[in-house]
Amino acid sequence: MIQILELFGGVGSPRAAFRNIGVPIKAIDYVEIDEKAVRSYNAIFKKDLRYKTQSVVGWNLKPDILIHGSPCQDFSIAGHQKGADEGSETRSSLMWETIHIIQQMGIWKPKIVIWENVKNVLSKYMRHNFNRYLEEMQSMGYTSDFEILNAMDFGLPQSRERVFTVSCLDGTLFNFGTLEREPMKKISEFLEDTQEEKYIVSQPSMIKRIECKNGSFGGRVQVIKDYCTTITTKQMRCPNSGVIDLGNGKYRYLTERECWRLQGYSDEDFEAVLKVHPGKEGKLNGALYKQAGNSIPVPIFESMFKQILQSWSSDKLEVI
Protein backbone atom coordinates (compact mmCIF):
# COMPACT_ATOMS: atom_id res chain seq x y z
CA MET A 1 0.00 0.00 0.00
CA ILE A 2 1.27 3.48 -0.87
CA GLN A 3 2.06 5.78 2.02
CA ILE A 4 1.53 9.52 1.55
CA LEU A 5 2.32 12.58 3.63
CA GLU A 6 0.43 15.83 3.02
CA LEU A 7 2.21 18.98 4.20
CA PHE A 8 0.22 22.23 4.11
CA GLY A 9 -2.54 19.74 3.40
CA GLY A 10 -5.58 22.00 3.06
CA VAL A 11 -8.75 19.97 2.57
CA GLY A 12 -6.95 16.98 1.06
CA SER A 13 -7.01 17.20 -2.74
CA PRO A 14 -4.19 14.59 -3.17
CA ARG A 15 -6.06 12.12 -1.02
CA ALA A 16 -9.31 12.84 -2.86
CA ALA A 17 -7.49 12.13 -6.13
CA PHE A 18 -6.26 8.73 -4.94
CA ARG A 19 -9.79 7.93 -3.77
CA ASN A 20 -11.26 8.92 -7.12
CA ILE A 21 -8.94 6.69 -9.14
CA GLY A 22 -9.55 3.77 -6.77
CA VAL A 23 -6.04 3.44 -5.33
CA PRO A 24 -5.84 2.46 -1.65
CA ILE A 25 -3.36 4.50 0.34
CA LYS A 26 -2.14 4.89 3.87
CA ALA A 27 -2.10 8.56 4.89
CA ILE A 28 0.66 8.35 7.48
CA ASP A 29 -0.01 11.95 8.43
CA TYR A 30 -1.48 15.24 7.37
CA VAL A 31 -0.09 18.60 8.47
CA GLU A 32 -2.20 21.74 8.35
CA ILE A 33 -2.28 24.77 10.64
CA ASP A 34 -5.71 26.11 9.58
CA GLU A 35 -8.17 24.64 12.09
CA LYS A 36 -11.18 25.06 9.80
CA ALA A 37 -9.40 23.28 6.94
CA VAL A 38 -8.58 20.42 9.33
CA ARG A 39 -12.25 20.10 10.22
CA SER A 40 -13.17 19.94 6.55
CA TYR A 41 -10.49 17.32 5.86
CA ASN A 42 -11.79 15.17 8.72
CA ALA A 43 -15.35 15.56 7.43
CA ILE A 44 -14.44 14.42 3.91
CA PHE A 45 -12.38 11.46 5.10
CA LYS A 46 -14.43 10.72 8.19
CA LYS A 47 -14.00 6.95 7.92
CA ASP A 48 -10.30 7.26 8.69
CA LEU A 49 -8.10 8.77 11.39
CA ARG A 50 -8.97 12.14 12.85
CA TYR A 51 -6.28 14.78 12.60
CA LYS A 52 -5.46 17.79 14.73
CA THR A 53 -4.22 21.24 13.77
CA GLN A 54 -0.42 21.15 13.63
CA SER A 55 2.47 23.11 12.20
CA VAL A 56 4.78 21.77 9.51
CA VAL A 57 7.86 22.98 11.41
CA GLY A 58 10.11 20.13 12.51
CA TRP A 59 7.93 17.28 11.23
CA ASN A 60 9.60 13.99 10.34
CA LEU A 61 7.88 10.97 8.73
CA LYS A 62 8.59 8.45 5.96
CA PRO A 63 6.10 8.43 3.08
CA ASP A 64 6.40 6.99 -0.43
CA ILE A 65 4.97 10.22 -1.86
CA LEU A 66 5.31 13.59 -0.14
CA ILE A 67 3.04 16.37 -1.39
CA HIS A 68 3.45 19.96 -0.31
CA GLY A 69 1.75 23.14 -1.48
CA SER A 70 3.41 25.66 0.77
CA PRO A 71 1.59 29.00 1.23
CA CYS A 72 1.71 31.01 -1.98
CA GLN A 73 0.71 34.47 -0.78
CA ASP A 74 4.23 35.91 -0.62
CA PHE A 75 5.11 34.57 -4.09
CA SER A 76 1.99 35.96 -5.74
CA ILE A 77 1.45 39.28 -7.45
CA ALA A 78 -1.65 39.85 -5.32
CA GLY A 79 0.43 39.20 -2.21
CA HIS A 80 2.91 41.94 -3.14
CA GLN A 81 5.73 39.46 -3.87
CA LYS A 82 7.28 39.53 -0.40
CA GLY A 83 9.29 36.44 -1.30
CA ALA A 84 10.35 33.31 0.54
CA ASP A 85 13.96 33.74 1.53
CA GLU A 86 14.81 31.36 4.33
CA GLY A 87 14.62 33.16 7.66
CA SER A 88 12.39 35.91 6.25
CA GLU A 89 9.42 34.68 8.33
CA THR A 90 7.01 35.10 5.42
CA ARG A 91 4.37 32.41 5.04
CA SER A 92 5.88 31.20 1.78
CA SER A 93 9.29 30.70 3.41
CA LEU A 94 7.77 27.64 5.09
CA MET A 95 8.68 25.81 1.87
CA TRP A 96 12.12 25.31 3.40
CA GLU A 97 10.59 23.28 6.21
CA THR A 98 9.83 20.58 3.63
CA ILE A 99 13.52 20.50 2.70
CA HIS A 100 14.45 20.23 6.38
CA ILE A 101 11.96 17.40 6.91
CA ILE A 102 13.44 15.36 4.04
CA GLN A 103 16.99 16.07 5.23
CA GLN A 104 16.10 14.78 8.69
CA MET A 105 14.92 11.50 7.22
CA GLY A 106 18.54 10.49 6.66
CA ILE A 107 19.13 7.58 4.29
CA TRP A 108 15.43 6.85 3.88
CA LYS A 109 13.66 9.41 1.67
CA PRO A 110 10.30 9.69 -0.15
CA LYS A 111 10.40 8.19 -3.63
CA ILE A 112 8.45 11.14 -5.04
CA VAL A 113 8.12 14.74 -3.85
CA ILE A 114 5.49 16.97 -5.45
CA TRP A 115 5.42 20.74 -4.92
CA GLU A 116 2.69 23.05 -6.22
CA ASN A 117 2.71 26.83 -6.22
CA VAL A 118 1.71 29.94 -8.18
CA LYS A 119 3.48 30.49 -11.50
CA ASN A 120 5.00 33.70 -10.15
CA VAL A 121 7.66 31.55 -8.44
CA LEU A 122 9.26 31.55 -11.90
CA SER A 123 9.37 35.35 -12.14
CA LYS A 124 12.66 37.21 -12.02
CA TYR A 125 11.91 38.35 -8.46
CA MET A 126 11.22 34.87 -7.10
CA ARG A 127 13.25 32.58 -9.38
CA HIS A 128 16.27 32.49 -7.03
CA ASN A 129 14.15 30.70 -4.40
CA PHE A 130 12.79 28.26 -6.98
CA ASN A 131 16.28 27.52 -8.30
CA ARG A 132 17.56 26.96 -4.80
CA TYR A 133 14.72 24.53 -4.12
CA LEU A 134 15.75 22.51 -7.19
CA GLU A 135 19.39 22.60 -6.07
CA GLU A 136 18.50 21.40 -2.58
CA MET A 137 16.45 18.54 -4.02
CA GLN A 138 19.31 17.60 -6.33
CA SER A 139 21.76 17.59 -3.42
CA MET A 140 19.54 14.99 -1.73
CA GLY A 141 19.57 12.77 -4.82
CA TYR A 142 16.40 13.88 -6.59
CA THR A 143 15.90 14.51 -10.30
CA SER A 144 13.36 17.28 -10.73
CA ASP A 145 11.27 18.67 -13.53
CA PHE A 146 8.50 21.25 -13.49
CA GLU A 147 5.69 22.50 -15.67
CA ILE A 148 2.94 25.11 -15.56
CA LEU A 149 -0.33 23.18 -15.64
CA ASN A 150 -3.76 24.69 -16.22
CA ALA A 151 -6.89 23.18 -14.70
CA MET A 152 -8.62 23.79 -18.04
CA ASP A 153 -6.53 21.00 -19.58
CA PHE A 154 -7.83 18.52 -17.00
CA GLY A 155 -11.54 18.89 -17.60
CA LEU A 156 -12.29 21.85 -15.35
CA PRO A 157 -13.68 25.10 -16.85
CA GLN A 158 -11.34 27.16 -14.67
CA SER A 159 -8.30 29.04 -15.95
CA ARG A 160 -5.90 28.25 -13.11
CA GLU A 161 -2.20 28.05 -13.92
CA ARG A 162 0.13 26.65 -11.29
CA VAL A 163 3.69 25.36 -11.27
CA PHE A 164 4.01 21.68 -10.40
CA THR A 165 7.45 20.31 -9.58
CA VAL A 166 7.96 16.55 -9.41
CA SER A 167 11.19 15.23 -7.90
CA CYS A 168 12.08 11.55 -8.32
CA LEU A 169 14.61 9.70 -6.19
CA ASP A 170 15.27 6.88 -8.69
CA GLY A 171 16.93 9.13 -11.28
CA THR A 172 14.00 9.27 -13.68
CA LEU A 173 12.64 12.55 -15.02
CA PHE A 174 8.90 12.96 -14.68
CA ASN A 175 7.36 13.44 -18.14
CA PHE A 176 4.70 16.14 -18.02
CA GLY A 177 4.15 15.76 -21.75
CA THR A 178 2.54 12.34 -21.35
CA LEU A 179 0.09 13.31 -18.62
CA GLU A 180 -3.46 12.21 -19.34
CA ARG A 181 -5.43 15.33 -20.19
CA GLU A 182 -9.16 15.80 -20.62
CA PRO A 183 -11.18 18.27 -22.72
CA MET A 184 -12.68 21.09 -20.72
CA LYS A 185 -16.25 20.40 -19.66
CA LYS A 186 -19.05 22.91 -20.15
CA ILE A 187 -19.32 25.49 -17.38
CA SER A 188 -23.06 24.80 -17.25
CA GLU A 189 -22.31 21.37 -15.75
CA PHE A 190 -20.86 23.10 -12.68
CA LEU A 191 -23.35 25.90 -12.10
CA GLU A 192 -26.40 26.01 -9.87
CA ASP A 193 -29.69 27.59 -10.85
CA THR A 194 -29.90 30.30 -8.23
CA GLN A 195 -30.68 33.97 -7.89
CA GLU A 196 -30.44 33.94 -4.12
CA GLU A 197 -30.02 37.46 -2.85
CA LYS A 198 -26.75 36.89 -1.00
CA TYR A 199 -24.99 36.02 -4.28
CA ILE A 200 -26.19 39.10 -6.20
CA VAL A 201 -23.47 41.67 -6.93
CA SER A 202 -24.70 44.86 -5.28
CA GLN A 203 -21.60 46.86 -4.32
CA PRO A 204 -21.17 49.83 -6.70
CA SER A 205 -17.38 49.35 -6.70
CA MET A 206 -17.75 45.77 -7.93
CA ILE A 207 -20.40 46.58 -10.53
CA LYS A 208 -18.14 49.31 -11.90
CA ARG A 209 -15.36 46.79 -12.47
CA ILE A 210 -17.42 44.19 -14.33
CA GLU A 211 -16.01 43.90 -17.85
CA CYS A 212 -13.77 46.91 -17.30
CA LYS A 213 -11.62 46.66 -20.43
CA ASN A 214 -8.61 48.65 -19.27
CA GLY A 215 -8.31 47.35 -15.73
CA SER A 216 -5.09 46.05 -14.24
CA PHE A 217 -4.75 42.65 -12.58
CA GLY A 218 -6.84 43.89 -9.65
CA GLY A 219 -8.96 46.29 -11.64
CA ARG A 220 -11.62 44.24 -13.38
CA VAL A 221 -14.14 41.47 -12.92
CA GLN A 222 -14.91 39.26 -15.90
CA VAL A 223 -18.30 37.91 -16.84
CA ILE A 224 -18.06 34.11 -16.95
CA LYS A 225 -18.87 32.65 -20.35
CA ASP A 226 -17.07 29.39 -21.19
CA TYR A 227 -14.89 29.27 -18.07
CA CYS A 228 -14.09 31.16 -14.89
CA THR A 229 -10.75 32.56 -13.86
CA THR A 230 -8.79 31.23 -10.89
CA ILE A 231 -10.97 30.28 -7.93
CA THR A 232 -9.98 32.73 -5.21
CA THR A 233 -10.38 32.65 -1.45
CA LYS A 234 -12.99 35.44 -1.63
CA GLN A 235 -15.54 36.16 -4.32
CA MET A 236 -16.80 39.50 -3.03
CA ARG A 237 -13.59 41.26 -4.02
CA CYS A 238 -11.63 42.23 -7.10
CA PRO A 239 -10.07 40.33 -8.74
CA ASN A 240 -12.22 37.27 -8.22
CA SER A 241 -13.20 34.24 -10.28
CA GLY A 242 -15.75 36.13 -12.36
CA VAL A 243 -19.49 36.66 -12.14
CA ILE A 244 -22.56 35.09 -13.74
CA ASP A 245 -24.73 37.31 -15.98
CA LEU A 246 -28.37 36.93 -14.87
CA GLY A 247 -29.66 39.36 -17.48
CA ASN A 248 -31.27 42.77 -17.09
CA GLY A 249 -28.05 44.19 -15.67
CA LYS A 250 -27.91 41.73 -12.76
CA TYR A 251 -24.89 39.59 -11.91
CA ARG A 252 -24.14 37.07 -9.21
CA TYR A 253 -21.05 35.59 -7.61
CA LEU A 254 -20.15 31.93 -7.86
CA THR A 255 -21.67 29.92 -5.03
CA GLU A 256 -19.54 28.01 -2.54
CA ARG A 257 -20.66 24.71 -4.06
CA GLU A 258 -19.74 25.88 -7.56
CA CYS A 259 -16.23 26.81 -6.39
CA TRP A 260 -15.74 23.35 -4.88
CA ARG A 261 -17.03 21.70 -8.06
CA LEU A 262 -14.66 23.82 -10.14
CA GLN A 263 -11.76 22.46 -8.07
CA GLY A 264 -12.87 18.89 -8.81
CA TYR A 265 -14.63 17.97 -5.57
CA SER A 266 -17.86 16.01 -5.52
CA ASP A 267 -21.12 17.29 -4.08
CA GLU A 268 -20.76 14.60 -1.43
CA ASP A 269 -17.46 16.19 -0.38
CA PHE A 270 -19.10 19.60 -0.29
CA GLU A 271 -22.06 18.41 1.76
CA ALA A 272 -19.65 16.89 4.29
CA VAL A 273 -17.75 20.16 4.82
CA LEU A 274 -20.96 22.22 4.80
CA LYS A 275 -22.11 20.26 7.86
CA VAL A 276 -19.07 21.35 9.86
CA HIS A 277 -19.05 24.91 8.43
CA PRO A 278 -22.74 25.80 7.98
CA GLY A 279 -22.07 29.53 7.89
CA LYS A 280 -24.57 32.28 8.72
CA GLU A 281 -28.02 32.50 7.18
CA GLY A 282 -28.08 34.96 4.29
CA LYS A 283 -24.29 35.44 4.29
CA LEU A 284 -21.56 34.10 2.00
CA ASN A 285 -19.64 31.25 3.64
CA GLY A 286 -16.12 32.62 3.95
CA ALA A 287 -14.58 29.40 5.25
CA LEU A 288 -15.75 27.34 2.28
CA TYR A 289 -14.67 29.95 -0.28
CA LYS A 290 -11.24 30.16 1.36
CA GLN A 291 -10.78 26.40 1.39
CA ALA A 292 -11.76 26.08 -2.27
CA GLY A 293 -9.45 28.93 -3.25
CA ASN A 294 -6.50 27.43 -1.39
CA SER A 295 -7.01 23.93 -2.81
CA ILE A 296 -5.27 22.23 -5.72
CA PRO A 297 -7.48 20.93 -8.57
CA VAL A 298 -8.17 17.27 -7.85
CA PRO A 299 -8.10 16.07 -11.50
CA ILE A 300 -4.51 17.26 -11.93
CA PHE A 301 -3.43 15.02 -9.06
CA GLU A 302 -5.48 12.17 -10.50
CA SER A 303 -3.54 12.39 -13.76
CA MET A 304 -0.17 12.71 -12.04
CA PHE A 305 -0.78 9.78 -9.70
CA LYS A 306 -1.96 7.54 -12.55
CA GLN A 307 1.28 8.21 -14.42
CA ILE A 308 3.45 7.69 -11.34
CA LEU A 309 1.76 4.39 -10.52
CA GLN A 310 2.09 3.16 -14.12
CA SER A 311 5.83 3.78 -13.97
CA TRP A 312 6.29 1.96 -10.67
CA SER A 313 6.79 -1.75 -10.67
CA SER A 314 5.44 -3.67 -7.68
CA ASP A 315 8.90 -4.20 -6.20
CA LYS A 316 9.39 -0.46 -5.77
CA LEU A 317 6.74 -0.24 -3.09
CA GLU A 318 6.94 -1.63 0.39
CA VAL A 319 3.94 -3.69 1.42
CA ILE A 320 2.41 -2.25 4.55
Side-chain angles (χ1 to χ4, degrees):
M1 184 179 290
I2 299 169
Q3 297 189 119
I4 69 166
L5 171 60
E6 299 163 278
L7 306 181
F8 315 101
V11 297
S13 58
R15 190 166 179 180
F18 274 116
R19 177 201 63 193
N20 291 353
I21 63 176
V23 175
I25 61 163
K26 181 178 182 180
I28 58 176
D29 216 331
Y30 153 86
V31 182
E32 172 57 58
I33 202 167
D34 184 335
E35 185 269 337
K36 290 184 178 179
V38 174
R39 275 195 276 158
S40 290
Y41 184 99
N42 285 331
I44 294 172
F45 307 108
K46 56 183 176 293
K47 294 180 181 179
D48 301 292
L49 292 173
R50 308 287 291 181
Y51 294 92
K52 298 178 181 179
T53 306
Q54 54 189 341
S55 170
V56 72
V57 178
W59 213 248
N60 186 14
L61 286 169
K62 296 181 178 181
D64 293 303
I65 301 177
L66 187 155
I67 308 107
H68 66 120
S70 51
C72 67
Q73 292 94 330
D74 302 302
F75 284 128
S76 70
I77 295 172
H80 306 297
Q81 306 183 93
K82 296 177 183 177
D85 292 343
E86 189 170 11
S88 65
E89 297 186 359
T90 64
R91 288 165 292 184
S92 293
S93 66
L94 286 169
M95 62 183 284
W96 303 117
E97 290 301 325
T98 300
I99 296 292
H100 298 157
I101 286 169
I102 299 172
Q103 289 171 339
Q104 291 165 10
M105 290 179 180
I107 296 175
W108 198 100
K109 294 181 178 68
K111 298 174 178 66
I112 300 284
V113 178
I114 301 173
W115 180 39
E116 178 267 1
N117 219 292
V118 294
K119 67 176 183 178
N120 204 48
V121 298
L122 302 180
S123 73
K124 63 180 180 179
Y125 302 106
M126 305 295 161
R127 188 62 189 248
H128 66 287
N129 278 312
F130 186 80
N131 288 342
R132 187 193 152 195
Y133 174 84
L134 298 181
E135 291 166 1
E136 292 285 356
M137 294 303 292
Q138 183 179 22
S139 72
M140 292 188 290
Y142 287 91
T143 303
S144 301
D145 198 12
F146 62 92
E147 190 74 49
I148 296 175
L149 300 179
N150 194 328
M152 295 173 70
D153 297 322
F154 297 84
L156 299 175
Q158 177 196 174
S159 180
R160 185 187 189 92
E161 293 183 308
R162 293 292 186 267
V163 177
F164 287 80
T165 304
V166 180
S167 303
C168 304
L169 192 60
D170 64 1
T172 60
L173 194 64
F174 186 81
N175 188 348
F176 285 93
T178 56
L179 277 177
E180 180 182 296
R181 287 166 167 80
E182 182 182 349
M184 186 181 75
K185 295 182 176 69
K186 294 180 180 179
I187 188 73
S188 58
E189 296 179 30
F190 296 77
L191 299 181
E192 299 185 273
D193 183 14
T194 180
Q195 294 195 28
E196 194 174 344
E197 189 63 31
K198 66 180 178 180
Y199 298 116
I200 302 299
V201 181
S202 59
Q203 311 97 306
S205 61
M206 291 294 290
I207 294 173
K208 183 179 179 180
R209 291 181 173 186
I210 293 174
E211 292 287 45
C212 175
K213 301 297 183 183
N214 300 315
S216 63
F217 170 77
R220 65 184 178 87
V221 175
Q222 83 160 32
V223 175
I224 297 171
K225 295 181 175 66
D226 297 323
Y227 59 87
C228 69
T229 54
T230 300
I231 296 298
T232 57
T233 57
K234 295 180 181 179
Q235 293 304 305
M236 197 181 288
R237 73 173 187 184
C238 182
N240 67 4
S241 310
V243 294
I244 304 296
D245 188 350
L246 298 175
N248 298 318
K250 289 180 65 177
Y251 300 89
R252 72 164 176 85
Y253 300 108
L254 290 173
T255 69
E256 300 88 343
R257 183 187 300 272
E258 289 168 344
C259 290
W260 278 68
R261 287 174 175 174
L262 287 161
Q263 288 285 48
Y265 291 96
S266 68
D267 280 357
E268 183 180 359
D269 292 334
F270 180 78
E271 291 294 339
V273 300
L274 184 60
K275 287 181 180 179
V276 295
H277 302 296
K280 295 181 180 179
E281 185 71 27
K283 302 291 184 181
L284 300 184
N285 194 318
L288 298 190
Y289 280 123
K290 179 181 178 181
Q291 290 167 20
N294 283 336
S295 187
I296 302 171
V298 176
I300 295 181
F301 275 136
E302 290 176 19
S303 181
M304 296 178 75
F305 293 152
K306 285 178 183 178
Q307 183 159 305
I308 289 170
L309 295 176
Q310 287 171 359
S311 69
W312 277 358
S313 59
S314 59
D315 62 354
K316 285 188 178 181
L317 289 178
E318 297 178 12
V319 178
I320 304 301

